[in-house]
């Protein structure tokens, strides 16, 4: 009896899918917001196969040039805004919670062709968990095992895409799968940073994203070509209009929800409470900013002080939007990139005649972590080895960015933390 019910349900489902995809005139096929590529139903989902269809413009939308795309006149047309260009793609949802999560889901639970063997999934999980002690203060969450993938937050997918993925996947997945992931990783790493955009322009990251989308079908099948994957080809247009991805992503709003929640102390008049607390915070922020942009913390006398005598020593310094520590205070927060691509390990922080200096050692050997589609060292990502014997001293003004330094095959991989790239280095 129960088998009969299952068969009937299956027949109804297949019929509905066929109706949706073929004949039902009442159901419009989903098309892309940014181009005229029509969606088609495949395996129970809408896929968009081509990436070369003509692009929609604000004018073509208002004139309803693609009749199939409109169900009527949108009330938003009364606003004096471009109805295509004013609605950029949110990289938090499209790239992190969208494509990155989809890739990981395919590797873990996709069909037999695309799924990674269990032992490799375990290896990736073990590598991720082993990186926990190496995650700096700027990261809200420590890496978790793939067993918990369904509970991963957007920031965890972002960390995987930009920092951890290239390390934990290396020599584990097929080279084709790894290099395909690197197309996505490199493109997003470029598009998230002013500095990388001014170096590579828009054409190159666009080429990487289009290559990523094109190769998706070969590696993962047609069912991978969902809307989130297709719109990667339009991402660069929004970066041209609005700047690096984080300037128009949902991350700041998502992160701030927790802050807003903490401002409410009682159930009455929550909006008024938030308004009052924000006004106070704004007042104190303005006072503090005008007083100091560099904050020295945790004074000590343990050295090393190098050539400096009569100086004050600190374990921690808050500089711009990040914190640097001496290695004995917090190893994970003690690495930075100095002008000239020097990977530096901080052993002490010195205040000498009102200037701040970092005392430490620098890595002598460096080589790229990957060579495709570009040498990783072009993005500042490299395998480092052998520390200098002697101490060096650098002014804090020479810091280009804080770095994440992760263990890899008995060596270390240095990855610049993109949002800490200092303004002077842009
Ligand atoms: Zn499109």
């Amino acid at each position: 009896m129960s088998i009969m019910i299952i068969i009937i349900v299956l027949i109804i489902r297949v019929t509905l899918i066929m109706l949706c995809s073929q004949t039902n005139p009442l159901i419009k096929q989903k098309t892309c917001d940014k181009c005229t590529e029509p969606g088609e139903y495949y395996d129970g989902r809408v896929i968009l196969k081509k990436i070369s269809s003509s692009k929609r413009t604000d004018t073509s939308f208002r004139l309803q040039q693609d009749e199939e795309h409109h169900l009527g006149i949108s009330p938003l047309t009364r606003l004096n805004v471009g109805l295509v260009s004013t609605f950029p793609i949110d990289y938090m949802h499209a790239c992190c919670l969208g494509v990155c999560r989809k890739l990981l889901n395919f590797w873990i639970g996709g069909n037999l062709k695309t799924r990674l063997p269990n032992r490799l999934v375990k290896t990736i999980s073990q590598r991720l968990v082993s990186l926990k002690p190496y995650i700096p203060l700027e990261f809200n969450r420590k890496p978790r095992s793939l067993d918990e993938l369904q509970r991963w937050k957007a920031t965890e997918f972002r960390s995987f895409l930009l920092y951890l993925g290239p390390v934990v996947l290396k020599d584990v997945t097929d080279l084709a799968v790894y290099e395909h992931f690197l197309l996505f990783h490199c493109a997003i790493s470029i598009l998230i940073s002013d500095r990388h955009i001014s170096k590579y322009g828009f054409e190159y990251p666009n080429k990487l994203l289009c290559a990523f989308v094109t190769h998706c079908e070969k590696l993962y099948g047609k069912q991978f070509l969902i809307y989130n994957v297709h719109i990667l080809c339009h991402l660069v247009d929004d970066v041209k209009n609005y700047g690096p991805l984080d300037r128009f992503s949902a991350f700041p709003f998502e992160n701030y929800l927790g802050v807003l929640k903490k401002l409410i102390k009682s159930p009455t008049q929550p909006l008024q409470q938030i308004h009052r607390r924000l006004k106070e915070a704004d007042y104190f922020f303005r006072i503090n900013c005008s007083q100091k942009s560099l904050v020295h913390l945790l004074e000590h006398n343990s050295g090393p002080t190098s050539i400096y005598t009569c100086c004050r020593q600190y374990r921690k310094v808050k500089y711009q939007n990040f914190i640097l520590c001496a290695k004995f205070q917090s190893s994970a927060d003690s690495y930075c990139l100095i002008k000239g691509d020097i990977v530096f390990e901080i052993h002490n922080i010195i205040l000498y005649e009102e200037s701040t200096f970092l005392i430490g050692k620098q890595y002598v050997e460096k080589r790229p972590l990957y060579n495709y589609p570009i040498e990783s060292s072009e993005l500042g990502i490299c395998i480092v080895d052998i520390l200098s014997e002697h101490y060096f001293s650098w002014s804090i003004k020479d810091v280009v960015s804080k770095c994440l330094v992760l263990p890899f095959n008995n060596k270390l991989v240095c990855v610049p933390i993109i949002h800490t790239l200092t303004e002077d280095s842009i």
Side-chain angles (χ1 to χ4, degrees), residues 158-426:
R158 175 173 60 179
S159 299
F160 188 88
L161 173 59
L162 297 176
Y163 305 106
L164 310 180
V167 179
V168 299
L169 298 175
K170 191 166 173 66
D171 304 329
V172 175
T173 60
D174 279 352
L175 186 61
V177 169
Y178 183 62
E179 292 191 336
H180 181 250
F181 171 77
L182 290 178
L183 287 169
F184 186 35
H185 152 80
C186 287
I188 301 301
S189 299
I190 293 171
L191 293 175
I192 211 165
S193 144
D194 260 324
R195 189 175 186 239
H196 294 325
I197 291 170
S198 48
K199 181 175 174 184
Y200 290 99
F202 298 113
E203 203 47 49
Y204 184 66
N206 190 45
K207 217 171 115 185
L208 297 181
L209 286 173
C210 292
F212 174 82
V213 176
T214 311
H215 294 152
C216 277
E217 186 176 351
K218 287 177 205 152
L219 279 172
Y220 302 110
K222 266 191 209 172
Q223 66 270 40
F224 201 85
L225 299 177
I226 53 163
Y227 177 73
N228 276 337
V229 175
H230 169 84
I231 52 167
L232 291 180
C233 295
H234 303 303
L235 199 57
V236 170
D237 291 334
D238 290 334
V239 176
K240 280 182 194 167
N241 286 338
Y242 297 101
L245 292 173
D246 264 331
R247 291 218 191 121
F248 58 96
S249 85
F251 272 116
F253 302 96
E254 193 84 357
N255 294 342
Y256 208 67
L257 283 177
V259 178
L260 291 180
K261 219 169 145 189
K262 281 181 194 157
L263 300 178
I264 302 171
K265 302 292 177 201
S266 69
T268 51
Q269 298 189 317
L271 199 60
Q272 286 86 337
Q273 289 181 54
I274 290 175
H275 178 255
R276 279 195 292 270
R277 297 295 89 77
L278 287 178
K279 285 284 268 187
E280 289 162 10
D282 186 40
Y283 173 71
F284 286 115
F285 178 74
R286 271 188 273 127
I287 288 178
N288 287 334
C289 278
S290 60
Q291 283 174 349
K292 258 184 183 179
S293 61
L294 197 66
V295 184
H296 300 82
L297 300 158
L298 306 176
E299 192 162 358
H300 72 101
N301 288 306
S302 322
T305 54
S306 187
I307 52 169
Y308 302 99
T309 51
C310 302
C311 59
R312 297 180 77 171
Q313 304 174 51
Y314 296 89
R315 292 163 189 252
K316 209 183 229 191
V317 63
K318 197 165 181 288
Y319 180 57
Q320 298 198 6
N321 59 352
F322 56 93
I323 287 173
L324 293 171
C325 293
K327 190 174 167 66
F328 68 93
Q329 171 67 26
S330 168
S331 181
D333 297 287
S334 66
Y335 295 94
C336 60
L337 197 66
I338 301 282
K339 280 177 187 167
D341 287 338
I342 295 165
V343 179
F344 195 68
E345 185 183 85
I346 303 163
H347 289 221
N348 202 359
I349 297 155
I350 300 282
L351 183 61
Y352 180 73
E353 292 182 353
E354 296 188 12
S355 296
T356 302
F357 295 91
L358 304 174
I359 309 290
K361 297 190 171 185
Q362 47 204 51
Y363 280 94
V364 177
E365 282 189 10
K366 280 197 318 174
R367 64 186 166 87
L369 174 70
Y370 53 79
N371 295 298
Y372 174 89
I374 43 173
E375 281 205 348
S376 65
S377 42
E378 295 283 321
L379 299 174
I381 302 169
C382 47
I383 297 175
V384 292
D385 198 19
I386 307 179
L387 270 178
S388 61
E389 280 183 27
H390 304 291
Y391 286 111
F392 287 80
S393 156
W394 291 98
S395 161
I396 200 157
K397 289 178 185 164
D398 291 320
V399 171
V400 173
S401 74
K402 181 170 176 173
C403 293
L404 176 69
V405 170
L406 307 168
F408 174 75
N409 284 354
N410 299 321
K411 294 198 168 40
L412 294 167
V413 175
C414 168
V415 192
I417 303 172
I418 297 172
H419 80 270
T420 68
L421 282 164
T422 53
E423 284 158 26
D424 292 343
S425 67
I426 294 166

Side-chain angles (χ1 to χ4, degrees), residues 31-37 48 50-56 227 230-234:
T31 54
C32 173
D33 303 330
K34 303 282 184 180
C35 76
T36 55
E37 174 62 14
L48 296 113
K50 277 195 259 158
I51 57 171
S52 53
S53 300
S54 59
K55 288 186 181 175
R56 297 187 195 286
Y227 177 73
H230 169 84
I231 52 167
L232 291 180
C233 295
H234 303 303

